[in-house]
Amino acid sequence: MTAYLIRRVGQILVTLFLFTTLAFFLIQAQPGSYASFYAFNPDIPPEVKAKIEAAFGLDKPLWQQYLIHLKNYGTGNFGVSFRHYPQSVVDVILERLPRTVMLFLTATVVSFYCGFFLGKAIAWKRGGVLEYTATISGALLFTVFTPWFGLMMIWIFAFKLGWFPLGKFLDPLLWRDATVEANAVFTNMILTAAAVSVFLFIAVLVTRKFARRYQGRTLIPLLGVVALGVTLVWWSSGAGYLALDIVRHMVLPVATLTLISFAGTMLITRNSMLETLREDYIMAARAKGLPEKEVRDRHAARNALLPVVTSFVFSLAFAIDGGVIIEAIFSWPGMGRTLLDAVLSEDLPLAIGAFVFVGVFALAAHLVADVLYVYLDPRIRYQ
Amino acid sequence: MRDQGAINGLVKIRVARLRLAVRGLKSGWTLFASSKIGLLGLGIILSFALLAVAHPILMATVWDATTYDPVTGYAFDQVEQPAPPSWRHLLGTDPLGRDVLSQLMSSTASEFFLGITAALVTVTIATSIGAISAYYGGVVDALFMRLADIIIMLPTISLLIVLTALFGLNLFQLALVLGLLGGFGGTTVVLKSQALTIKVKPYIEAARVAGGSQFHIIFVHIVPNLLPLSLLYMMFTVTAAIFSEAVLSFFGILNIRMSWGIMINTASTGGYLLGGTKFWWLIVPAGASITLLCSAFYLVGRALDEVVNPRLRRQWDS
């Protein structure tokens, strides 16, 4: 298992290197250079232009520029944003990265669970009304034009019904008198969410050894206690209403992202289940007289999970792209919004920086998915 | 010079092959037609194709260019723009006074062009590379598969946003980029694993024993057997291509005159979106068209999946 993971990490590092190289060539291949952004004015004398070029290292041969580029990216120096002038690119990005991570993680986990459960159900009862409606609505949601769908969600739930805010990250009126920074509150929220998920994961692992009936009986009260505890801690810290404001802004983008990405998991689970159901051990399990639910959940679904996780690894890039679009629609100030704004205002250093960070984020997500895969598939562990 | 008997024999073999192909197509069609969602998808695609064909005919006969041109036209017969649907403008006009139905129909042709170009590029590259790397294995295989791994991890939309910002892509260039990304990316991996199962079949051995060259074996024996699966992935590529184009035009960063994404962009930048149902003709036709055409190709793909992959077929015994 460790050998496999080390090999994967090595591959991902090579990919990262190629990725930064791609960024360099993208910058080089565009007409003009960074210096021409500053020295665009025809009144600037040639010697000043030469000085600006020297400051960017543009007077050096290409291979030296490439080495400088690699060194800069390796040390996290992505230059200064044109639009947010005194701020460096990394500062702008680091401020916005957690928001993207949170949006993406919540939506991915929720959509994976929903997709898996629905896919299991429709494969079990073939030919019913449920299968047709789920397949067609799943395919529609999978292929729906994401910006249009996002706008419709805003129009229905935010504009007509008024349940959620129209977009953005927080409500300025509410935060005017707040003494804490939004990002500090948000970081604490991420930490809380991470702690709760780790705790629940361990609880599930421990109770898995119990019989099926007892697992539910222990987990549900435990969940209640944890929810109560988290609420109390946030309530007493005084920043609870601020956190609630951020959560209120998060619901609609997360729901939209979940809706557009659960269908892929659902359809693949369905196919994988259909293949698993033909295996002999399913017939054996039925012949033993096991209850149908037991056959479905413990014998079929567990074995059908593997291809789903494989395709999940492939669909991560899709989910990240969906996140970029959703952020742009909901004015959620994360990486996707930053990338698009930078592109529209021709802020090239920020655009390339955001692009590299989105790529690094995708690579990290793939690494996590790989670890998960190794954990699920014993055949890889023994290779 | 060949004698008549040999030529007759060759003709007979050709005819027999043709018959076999027709029979294969027929049984494939029966399987495909048994799936309702596949027929639904095919119906949607055909009706959009009809729209695309009808547009130039209508422009040449009934619609005059000053009023109905999708980009430069202006509906002088309407007092207020955007005008709601009427008999002269079946889907109304947009904020700039252009006929929405004409825009919708003229965009259909370019969506088909984009989707089919991207799909052809993808499938040509993916099928040949899949067959070649399955046949040779070793260094060639490792090289192409690692490249595919990298491309799979790239966030496509973000890459396209950066590319359009730097170079300003037009429709054909976009199709080419999408085709290359698809062809060297995920599709190759799938086709290669299929080619691996073909490579060990007895008829490949037989061809080798009969003295077939490597080129002959790859392109006459392996590639034709990959084609059904390639066709399936063509459908998925078309969906992805149309979707990407629509997203990029919606952001207003593509170098294209008119498309469904641009129609939504026009409505959105004009501030007509939160008018909701009041200005429905500005957003619903274009959005629904993108969704419908994308899901139609996807549904056809799913139905083909059942034809190509026998394990997915409905079991009658249980």
Side-chain angles (χ1 to χ4, degrees):
Chain A
M1 176 178 175
T2 38
Y4 173 78
L5 280 184
I6 289 171
R7 206 169 64 232
R8 272 313 273 171
V9 172
Q11 275 175 13
I12 279 183
L13 285 179
V14 172
T15 313
L16 196 60
F17 169 75
L18 289 175
F19 201 67
T20 45
T21 308
L22 175 71
F24 176 74
F25 282 110
L26 283 181
I27 298 169
Q28 285 294 327
Q30 54 138 348
S33 66
Y34 281 177
S36 57
F37 275 89
Y38 287 112
F40 202 54
N41 192 339
D43 292 338
I44 293 178
E47 54 267 33
V48 177
K49 266 187 190 168
K51 265 188 189 162
I52 292 178
E53 285 197 348
F56 274 92
L58 293 174
D59 53 343
K60 299 202 173 70
L62 201 62
W63 64 271
Q64 273 189 7
Q65 285 188 38
Y66 177 58
L67 288 184
I68 293 172
H69 165 90
L70 279 188
K71 190 185 134 231
N72 282 345
Y73 276 29
T75 52
N77 177 8
F78 288 79
V80 176
S81 161
F82 291 156
R83 208 160 67 104
H84 307 260
Y85 168 59
Q87 267 189 307
S88 74
V89 168
V90 173
D91 284 344
V92 177
I93 288 172
L94 284 185
E95 179 194 313
R96 297 171 184 202
L97 190 64
R99 300 169 189 165
T100 296
V101 174
M102 184 76 168
L103 182 71
F104 170 77
L105 277 186
T106 325
T108 312
V109 170
V110 174
S111 73
F112 186 79
Y113 268 92
C114 293
F116 187 65
F117 277 97
L118 264 176
K120 204 166 71 177
I122 60 175
W124 195 248
K125 282 208 167 184
R126 287 212 74 186
V129 185
L130 182 68
E131 193 195 358
Y132 279 111
T133 41
T135 312
I136 289 187
S137 60
L140 275 177
L141 282 173
F142 189 55
T143 48
V144 76
F145 184 46
T146 315
W148 183 64
F149 186 60
L151 291 168
M152 285 292 133
M153 293 288 279
I154 293 181
W155 181 63
I156 295 170
F157 291 103
F159 189 72
K160 278 277 158 183
L161 297 175
W163 291 353
F164 301 106
L166 284 176
K168 301 269 190 232
F169 182 57
L170 39 81
D171 186 2
L173 285 178
L174 205 62
W175 286 76
R176 200 168 47 186
D177 305 324
T179 47
V180 278
E181 267 195 54
N183 262 3
V185 174
F186 195 60
T187 316
N188 281 334
M189 285 169 66
I190 294 179
L191 289 178
T192 317
V196 169
S197 356
V198 168
F199 179 74
L200 280 183
F201 184 66
I202 293 172
V204 168
L205 273 191
V206 170
T207 53
R208 211 170 59 168
K209 301 278 181 273
F210 296 1
R212 203 178 164 72
R213 290 179 294 152
Y214 296 118
Q215 194 181 3
R217 278 191 203 166
T218 33
L219 274 184
I220 292 168
L222 201 66
L223 200 70
V225 170
V226 169
L228 199 68
V230 169
T231 321
L232 277 180
V233 168
W234 273 100
W235 189 266
S236 59
S237 74
Y241 73 103
L242 298 174
L244 205 66
D245 183 46
I246 295 182
V247 169
R248 250 169 60 85
H249 282 82
M250 250 181 84
V251 172
L252 213 48
V254 168
T256 313
L257 193 53
T258 307
L259 278 176
I260 57 168
S261 51
F262 89 95
T265 315
M266 182 184 81
L267 295 172
I268 287 159
T269 311
R270 169 181 166 271
N271 279 6
S272 166
M273 273 288 274
L274 290 184
E275 292 189 12
T276 318
L277 285 179
R278 297 199 151 185
E279 300 285 347
D280 290 337
Y281 54 77
I282 298 296
M283 198 183 277
R286 277 192 180 146
K288 274 197 292 188
L290 287 178
E292 289 282 283
K293 232 179 144 184
E294 194 90 340
V295 178
R296 187 188 67 189
D297 293 347
R298 295 226 148 160
H299 294 254
R302 287 249 180 119
N303 287 297
L305 188 60
L306 270 184
V308 181
V309 176
T310 318
S311 80
F312 175 69
V313 177
F314 284 106
S315 69
L316 277 177
F318 176 81
I320 289 172
D321 274 339
V324 170
I325 300 166
I326 293 290
E327 281 183 11
I329 301 293
F330 285 87
S331 309
W332 179 263
M335 297 299 299
R337 179 84 227 174
T338 309
L339 178 68
L340 194 66
D341 278 348
V343 162
L344 288 177
S345 59
E346 301 197 335
D347 184 354
L348 277 185
L350 187 59
I352 297 278
F355 173 60
V356 170
F357 263 78
V358 170
V360 170
F361 179 49
L363 290 183
H366 275 93
L367 192 63
V368 173
D370 272 341
V371 175
L372 206 71
Y373 193 53
V374 172
Y375 169 77
L376 280 173
D377 190 353
R379 281 171 301 183
I380 288 180
R381 250 181 275 174
Y382 299 124
Q383 252 177 22
Chain B
M1 197 177 139
R2 282 170 177 166
D3 59 309
Q4 200 59 37
I7 292 176
N8 274 346
L10 270 180
V11 169
K12 265 183 194 160
I13 290 174
R14 287 275 152 81
V15 170
R17 267 193 194 164
L18 207 67
R19 267 201 199 131
L20 210 61
V22 168
R23 199 190 300 159
L25 275 182
K26 259 189 191 163
S27 70
W29 170 252
T30 320
L31 272 175
F32 181 84
S34 71
S35 127
K36 281 178 201 148
I37 54 171
L39 285 181
L40 178 71
L42 199 64
I44 296 174
I45 294 175
L46 286 181
S47 19
F48 272 108
L50 215 61
L51 278 187
V53 172
H55 186 256
I57 299 173
L58 278 177
M59 285 304 283
T61 53
V62 192
W63 290 350
D64 70 294
T66 44
T67 317
Y68 286 99
D69 188 277
V71 184
T72 57
Y74 187 86
F76 291 102
D77 49 286
Q78 300 294 332
V79 184
E80 258 181 56
Q81 311 291 358
S86 57
W87 278 112
R88 288 183 59 88
H89 304 280
L90 285 176
L91 284 176
T93 58
D94 78 347
L96 302 175
R98 305 175 293 190
D99 186 76
V100 172
L101 183 63
S102 173
Q103 289 181 334
L104 197 74
M105 286 167 80
S106 78
S107 312
T108 312
S110 48
E111 303 292 344
F112 272 109
F113 168 75
L114 170 90
I116 289 167
T117 314
L120 280 179
V121 174
T122 298
V123 162
T124 314
I125 296 175
T127 312
S128 13
I129 286 184
I132 287 171
S133 56
Y135 185 80
Y136 289 108
V139 184
V140 183
D141 179 35
L143 201 70
F144 282 122
M145 287 307 116
R146 289 296 80 74
L147 182 67
D149 278 351
I150 292 169
I151 291 178
I152 288 168
M153 285 196 248
L154 282 181
T156 322
I157 295 285
S158 314
L159 177 67
L160 287 174
I161 289 177
V162 172
L163 281 181
T164 45
L166 293 176
F167 309 111
L169 302 177
N170 62 27
L171 199 64
F172 181 68
Q173 288 163 335
L174 179 72
L176 216 59
V177 170
L178 283 169
L180 286 175
L181 283 178
F184 284 105
T187 316
T188 319
V189 182
V190 181
L191 288 178
K192 183 212 141 194
S193 56
Q194 178 74 10
L196 277 179
T197 66
I198 294 169
K199 187 191 158 191
V200 294
K201 292 263 167 74
Y203 55 80
I204 302 293
E205 283 296 294
R208 205 175 290 154
V209 170
S213 67
Q214 291 175 338
F215 183 85
H216 175 85
I217 291 174
I218 291 175
F219 285 96
V220 178
H221 292 282
I222 297 182
V223 167
N225 285 299
L226 280 180
L227 283 182
L229 199 64
S230 309
L231 190 66
L232 167 67
Y233 276 86
M234 257 179 96
M235 298 300 148
F236 295 144
T237 315
V238 173
T239 302
I242 293 176
F243 181 83
S244 313
E245 185 276 332
V247 169
L248 294 175
S249 330
F250 170 73
F251 289 148
I253 50 182
L254 270 187
N255 199 0
I256 294 179
R257 291 184 73 206
M258 183 46 65
S259 81
W260 294 335
I262 290 179
M263 289 166 69
I264 299 185
N265 182 31
T266 314
S268 159
T269 48
Y272 291 95
L273 286 183
L274 293 182
T277 45
K278 203 176 161 218
F279 296 105
W280 63 271
W281 65 92
L282 291 181
I283 179 162
V284 173
S289 296
I290 297 167
T291 309
L292 270 179
L293 192 57
C294 280
S295 35
F297 275 104
Y298 183 75
L299 288 178
V300 169
R302 303 244 33 123
L304 279 178
D305 203 5
E306 305 219 350
V307 177
V308 177
N309 184 354
R311 283 187 298 174
L312 287 182
R313 277 177 217 155
R314 183 147 179 196
Q315 9 177 197
W316 298 102
D317 45 346
S318 70

